[in-house]
Amino acid sequence: MGATNQRAQWNSKLGFILAAAGSAVGLGNIWRFPYVTQENGGGIFVLLYLVAVVFIGLPVMLAELTIGRHTQRNPVGAFKKISPRWKFVGLLGVATGAGILSYYSVVAGWTVGYIIKSATGDLDPKGFGAFLGNAPLQISYLILFLGLTGFVVARGVKDGIERMAKLLMPLLLLMMIGLIIRGLTLPTAAEGLKYFLMPDIDGLSGKTVLYAIGQAFYSLSLGMGAMITYGAYIGKKDNLATSALAVVSFDTLIAILAGFLIFPVIGHSLEKGGAGLVFVTMIEQFNQIPQGQWIALAFFLLLAVAALTSTVSLLEVVTAYFIDEWKFSRLKSVIIVCIVTGLLGIPSALSLGAVSGLSDIVGGKGFLDLMDFLIGNVSLCIGALLTCIFLVYRWGIGNAAEEVIASAPSFKPYVQIWRVLLGGIVPLAILSLIVYMAVTGGSL
Ligand code: TRP
């Protein structure tokens, strides 16, 4: 560390891709994607999702990585370095990161609870309500998961985050493939897969399109500077365009594989969906499979691994901010952020049964759901919108393209498409999303 503020860097491009894919691959892929698909007409939603990923997710991913690599700063420092007046976008991102971390760690904590339930053979689908209503348990799992996250982040970019990703991401893929193979042999497989894969044109509506876009941002960890933060550790020689493509492809692959994992298992129980899909319906099914307990164990382990690589990235965004802008040491920064987000997470942890006043704040939404809506949806959309506008109309597409082309000459022919997408198509899509959310107040 010198006066020039020497930055940490990934050991390798692969290390970065695994870490960024780890950020993107999370509960959003394995828990949220299947149930949002189910609530939005199955195959037709999957198709729209893929379109949204290519035309909206990919250009914004490249935008964030480019801003990060160019400035080598946390989101606040990054915007400030290019244009001090735009610092607020970075601040919004950091605040959003802390907010998501607080309630995401609650759901992540459930996966640990269910790992223990699976291991001890205590898998009762009706137990979910009692589990959620148990305040000490909910808070303990929240603290446990944040502690685990803090442990990884405190060890730094290379020795903590990158090492964890190199270990856990291959493991995640292996567990997933194993579980898919087991699921495909079940009698319910054909019915479930048909629903997942056959697009039914009647399911097409404006709402489905908007849900697909919202899911793409969420799943790819866009709109809050997570990819700016990870992009800041990319070496100047690494190809940004292929990196963005690799991360987006990996995340999409895992989402699709999650469909191949979940739908064959739930088969004809498709009507029993929603947020309880994983913790209730899946358990009902596991209980009917011989040795289902151990399949459940692998499944919740998979969810926990996916969640951990995401909470690590959320914590890193806020930590990097305090390290860069407040000159805190990494350890001090991690401890402070964990304590604050832990406290912020408590109302979420208690909002699903433990404290009745927190379970219906407005319109039937409890505290956790409200956080997910305002921070996990609205704030991400606003962040992504401002990032696009900043890149095209303030920093300038030429400057941004220069940063990309420096290490990826073959990107040249795509600059114009990138400009049209970031400067027009994506902002329009996001604006319609925001209007939709404002009008319906409905979570995406
Ligand atoms: N992409 C994560 C998932 O699919 C959730 C998420 C949204 C996220 N924004 C993030 C994770 C920012 C890390 C950083 O579960």
Side-chain angles (χ1 to χ4, degrees):
M1 286 283 161
T4 49
N5 193 12
Q6 247 255 310
R7 296 284 292 181
Q9 255 188 24
W10 306 108
N11 259 321
S12 65
K13 186 178 164 193
L14 179 69
F16 156 72
I17 289 171
L18 291 177
S23 167
V25 172
L27 299 168
N29 300 60
I30 305 172
W31 170 63
R32 202 173 189 251
F33 175 73
Y35 90 72
V36 175
T37 297
Q38 183 194 19
E39 286 174 348
N40 284 282
I44 189 77
F45 178 81
V46 178
L47 202 65
L48 290 170
Y49 178 72
L50 293 177
V51 173
V53 162
V54 173
F55 292 101
I56 295 177
L58 186 58
V60 177
M61 175 68 73
L62 183 60
E64 287 203 15
L65 293 181
T66 306
I67 294 172
R69 211 264 300 262
H70 181 77
T71 59
Q72 311 205 351
R73 291 282 182 282
N74 72 91
V76 177
F79 282 99
K80 197 169 71 179
K81 192 168 174 184
I82 298 174
S83 172
R85 282 180 53 192
W86 283 77
K87 185 179 133 179
F88 74 96
V89 184
L91 278 170
L92 176 72
V94 171
T96 303
I100 297 183
L101 181 60
S102 75
Y103 72 81
Y104 198 92
S105 300
V106 172
V107 183
W110 299 347
T111 66
V112 179
Y114 272 78
I115 288 175
I116 295 172
K117 277 174 180 286
S118 311
T120 55
D122 171 29
L123 283 176
D124 177 1
K126 295 197 188 68
F128 191 46
F131 176 73
L132 294 180
N134 186 334
L137 207 59
Q138 287 294 314
I139 291 177
S140 308
Y141 283 131
L142 165 66
I143 294 173
L144 181 74
F145 212 90
L146 270 177
L148 212 59
T149 307
F151 178 77
V152 176
V153 174
R155 305 192 56 153
V157 173
K158 269 188 212 169
D159 295 335
I161 303 176
E162 185 170 357
R163 243 181 46 197
M164 167 204 65
K166 280 183 166 161
L167 181 79
L168 293 186
M169 293 311 283
L171 181 71
L172 178 128
L173 206 58
L174 274 179
M175 285 195 288
M176 201 138 198
I177 292 171
L179 284 164
I180 290 172
I181 292 174
R182 181 65 186 92
L184 286 177
T185 61
L186 296 172
T188 42
E191 197 173 339
L193 272 188
K194 183 166 166 253
Y195 179 77
F196 180 57
L197 294 176
M198 296 285 279
D200 173 8
I201 202 77
D202 291 341
L204 189 63
S205 71
K207 178 173 156 258
T208 325
V209 176
L210 293 173
Y211 268 78
I213 299 171
Q215 176 63 22
F217 281 134
Y218 184 83
S219 186
L220 293 168
S221 300
L222 298 173
M224 51 147 284
M227 293 301 165
I228 295 179
T229 307
Y230 275 16
Y233 311 135
I234 301 180
K236 284 287 178 195
K237 291 199 186 67
D238 287 330
N239 185 322
L240 286 177
T242 52
S243 297
L245 189 62
V247 175
V248 168
S249 309
F250 200 129
D251 184 70
T252 309
L253 174 75
I254 298 290
I256 298 296
L257 287 181
F260 275 88
L261 165 57
I262 304 255
F263 285 101
V265 177
I266 55 175
H268 44 254
S269 304
L270 282 168
E271 72 288 354
K272 293 188 214 155
L277 182 68
V278 159
F279 295 97
V280 181
T281 319
M282 286 297 271
I283 289 180
E284 277 169 9
Q285 303 298 319
F286 287 142
N287 279 341
Q288 293 175 19
I289 306 174
Q291 305 298 319
Q293 178 189 354
W294 305 110
I295 302 173
L297 180 65
F299 178 68
F300 288 113
L301 208 56
L302 170 75
L303 273 174
V305 164
L308 180 65
T309 51
S310 294
T311 52
V312 158
S313 138
L314 288 161
L315 180 58
E316 176 62 20
V317 173
V318 193
T319 300
Y321 163 71
F322 282 111
I323 294 175
D324 284 354
E325 308 298 315
W326 294 65
K327 307 290 173 228
F328 283 8
S329 73
R330 178 165 281 272
L331 185 64
K332 179 176 167 192
S333 178
V334 165
I335 292 174
I336 291 176
V337 179
C338 281
I339 292 175
V340 173
T341 45
L343 291 172
L344 190 63
I346 289 177
S348 290
L350 300 181
S351 71
L352 293 135
V355 175
S356 57
L358 290 167
S359 61
D360 185 359
I361 309 261
V362 281
K365 273 191 170 51
F367 194 85
L368 189 149
D369 288 336
L370 200 63
M371 291 284 279
D372 187 39
F373 175 59
L374 291 176
I375 299 178
N377 286 327
V378 181
S379 181
L380 287 185
C381 289
I382 294 173
L385 175 67
L386 291 170
T387 304
C388 292
I389 292 179
F390 169 81
L391 190 144
V392 178
Y393 301 106
R394 177 65 192 84
W395 188 21
I397 194 79
N399 292 325
E402 203 174 296
E403 178 70 36
V404 181
I405 291 169
S407 58
S410 55
F411 183 69
K412 246 194 187 128
Y414 301 100
V415 172
Q416 283 315 313
I417 304 178
W418 196 35
R419 187 182 64 85
V420 171
L421 288 171
L422 284 186
I425 312 259
V426 179
L428 276 177
I430 299 173
L431 277 174
S432 39
L433 237 165
I434 292 172
V435 170
Y436 173 80
M437 290 193 293
V439 172
T440 62
S443 179
L444 282 171

